[in-house]
Amino acid sequence: QVQLVESGGGLVQPGGSLTLSCAASESIFSLYAMGWYRQPPGKQRELVATFTSGSSTNYADSVKGRFTISRDNAKNTVYLQMNSLKSEDTAVYYCTARRTVRALTTDPLAYWGHGTQVTVSS
C-alpha cells in the first residue's frame, strides 16, 4: 500500500515555476498533518513548508514569498506551488505526513513519500 505519492517534479530554468502534488490515502490525510521537505544534493533534509495546528502554515525562510502550500481535501492531495525558482532550490522534494493526536498511537509518527526530483538549471 502506497501512502504518499509525489509528482510534478522536473527540470526548470531559473525564475520558472513548478507545482508539486502529493496524493495521500484518505486515512492518512484525515489524521496526519501534511507538509513538504527537500534534500539538496550532498546536504541534509530540510523543511520547506508544512501545515500546522489550526490550519496554519509554516515556511522555511528561504522559500517565503515564493512557495505556497495548499491542499484539496476532496482529493486528499497537498500541493506545493513553487515560483521564482533558483538553482538553490534543486533538490529531491518529499511529501510528509506527521501523526496527530487523532491517529492511533500505534501508527507511525510520520510517513514519507519517495520523493520527486526538482532541478533548476539553465
Side-chain angles (χ1 to χ4, degrees):
Q1 182 180 6
V2 179
Q3 306 297 330
L4 304 173
V5 180
E6 305 102 329
S7 62
L11 175 65
V12 63
Q13 294 183 340
S17 299
L18 281 176
T19 299
L20 306 182
S21 299
C22 173
S25 67
E26 190 275 336
S27 60
I28 290 179
F29 199 83
S30 63
L31 300 175
Y32 284 67
M34 308 300 298
W36 293 92
Y37 279 69
R38 69 184 181 186
Q39 186 167 21
K43 298 182 179 181
Q44 296 187 38
R45 191 162 47 201
E46 63 187 23
L47 181 145
V48 177
T50 64
F51 285 105
T52 59
S53 180
S55 298
S56 299
T57 55
N58 182 46
Y59 294 92
D61 289 339
S62 59
V63 306
K64 285 183 178 178
R66 300 189 298 120
F67 290 12
T68 302
I69 187 172
S70 62
R71 64 191 176 196
D72 187 331
N73 293 335
K75 297 181 179 179
N76 299 323
T77 301
V78 63
Y79 304 94
L80 184 68
Q81 176 69 49
M82 305 183 294
N83 299 321
S84 302
L85 284 163
K86 308 173 181 179
S87 60
E88 302 94 286
D89 296 318
T90 295
V92 176
Y93 284 72
Y94 296 92
C95 181
T96 67
R98 294 174 290 108
R99 194 180 73 192
T100 71
V101 295
R102 297 184 180 275
L104 297 175
T105 56
T106 53
D107 289 336
L109 285 171
Y111 289 96
W112 294 83
H114 292 298
T116 184
Q117 177 71 49
V118 173
T119 301
V120 184
S121 176
S122 60

